[in-house]
Amino acid sequence: LPFLTHMLEALAWHGGFSLRARASGDVEVDPHHLMEDVGIVLGTAVARALDGSPPVARAGCFLFPMDGSLASAAVDLCGRPNLVWDADLGPEPIGGAPPALFRDFWKGVSDGLRATMHLSVLRKDNDHHAVEAVFKAFGRALRGAVTETESRAPASSKGAIDD
């Protein structure tokens, strides 16, 4: 799925991290499982990379314009997976993938990362730009969430995340 590859490259670049992925699946039948599984693996990989890291900001948000589209992303690395997806995409495939599968991809990321994520398309000129704006916004929001802090205190008023 070349469009998914393009989106992952944009996500990594805007997130400030490197990413190499190889995936295969029965895309000739339906790319659903491939997109969902790539999301789960991506989220899990980021969570593992953060395990044992110095304290991070925990939460981040970003608005990203992509030509006539505008997307927002907010992420909380709270240990509680939850996805709020608000994107009114049309029925036509985007780069070979039905638009509804992008929600499944992000649900996989949320589950693997164990994060609460709110992703919204606020304005769109076309579905390609709308989806691309979401990926870029999430990359920037994640970059903010994983920024190291000088505080040694947990990033929670409860004293710990995951409790």
Side-chain angles (χ1 to χ4, degrees), residues 47-102:
R48 286 183 181 161
L50 292 172
D51 189 33
S53 70
V56 296
R58 174 182 155 176
C61 61
F62 204 86
L63 285 171
F64 201 100
M66 178 71 195
D67 294 346
S69 295
L70 179 67
S72 68
V75 60
D76 182 5
L77 306 175
C78 60
R80 294 181 307 279
N82 186 45
L83 173 66
V84 175
W85 171 256
D86 183 16
D88 183 23
L89 302 174
E92 295 300 313
I94 307 168
L101 296 187
F102 289 98

Side-chain angles (χ1 to χ4, degrees), residues 71-73 85 87 106 119-121 129-139:
S72 68
W85 171 256
W106 289 112
L119 305 174
S120 300
V121 173
H129 289 160
V131 169
E132 189 164 351
V134 169
F135 274 79
K136 291 176 177 182
F138 181 79

Side-chain angles (χ1 to χ4, degrees), residues 14-136:
H14 286 277
F17 59 90
S18 62
L19 173 65
R20 280 189 325 162
R22 180 179 298 198
S24 63
D26 55 354
V27 295
E28 64 282 349
V29 175
D30 185 334
H32 174 265
H33 290 118
L34 180 68
M35 289 185 65
E36 182 179 49
D37 291 347
V38 168
I40 292 167
V41 169
L42 176 63
T44 301
V46 173
R48 286 183 181 161
L50 292 172
D51 189 33
S53 70
V56 296
R58 174 182 155 176
C61 61
F62 204 86
L63 285 171
F64 201 100
M66 178 71 195
D67 294 346
S69 295
L70 179 67
S72 68
V75 60
D76 182 5
L77 306 175
C78 60
R80 294 181 307 279
N82 186 45
L83 173 66
V84 175
W85 171 256
D86 183 16
D88 183 23
L89 302 174
E92 295 300 313
I94 307 168
L101 296 187
F102 289 98
R103 186 215 175 272
D104 297 336
F105 168 84
W106 289 112
K107 176 73 168 87
V109 173
S110 173
D111 288 348
L113 186 53
R114 297 183 34 81
T116 293
M117 298 166 29
H118 288 248
L119 305 174
S120 300
V121 173
L122 306 172
R123 202 176 313 336
K124 73 172 187 168
D125 59 352
N126 64 58
D127 288 346
H128 177 119
H129 289 160
V131 169
E132 189 164 351
V134 169
F135 274 79
K136 291 176 177 182

